[in-house]
Amino acid sequence: MAAKDQRRQFEDIVARLTADDPDFAETMRAGRSSLSTAARVTLAVAGAIVWGLLSVLMVAWRTPGVILTIAVVLVTLAVAITRERRNQRL
């Protein structure tokens, strides 16, 4: 019962904030990810598989494997930073 009351209070607060500040509502909508839950899970599983394969390559290939892993991590970071900056501008 308490959880329902807290949820109702939260929704009331959000409704008042939205009414008082229309920019707040826009910020809330912009902050949500465009990815569905299934897409997020798929992306997480794919990332885990790639990370596991890169770990094996680091052991098997030694220096080239480490260099490849570093390159993949740097590219992933660059993409994430670029997306975050683009989302902040919108």
Side-chain angles (χ1 to χ4, degrees), residues 49-85:
I49 290 171
V50 168
W51 184 253
L53 291 174
L54 287 171
S55 298
V56 171
L57 284 178
M58 284 191 291
V59 172
W61 289 358
R62 299 179 189 232
T63 303
V66 171
I67 292 170
L68 177 63
T69 300
I70 290 171
V72 169
V73 169
L74 290 176
V75 167
T76 304
L77 282 172
V79 169
I81 290 170
T82 303
R83 283 192 63 178
E84 182 64 26
R85 287 184 180 169

Side-chain angles (χ1 to χ4, degrees), residues 22-44:
D23 290 338
F24 173 75
E26 185 60 34
T27 302
M28 292 298 291
R29 278 193 288 277
R32 293 189 180 143
S33 176
S34 61
L35 294 177
S36 68
T37 302
R40 288 177 189 232
V41 170
T42 303
L43 189 59

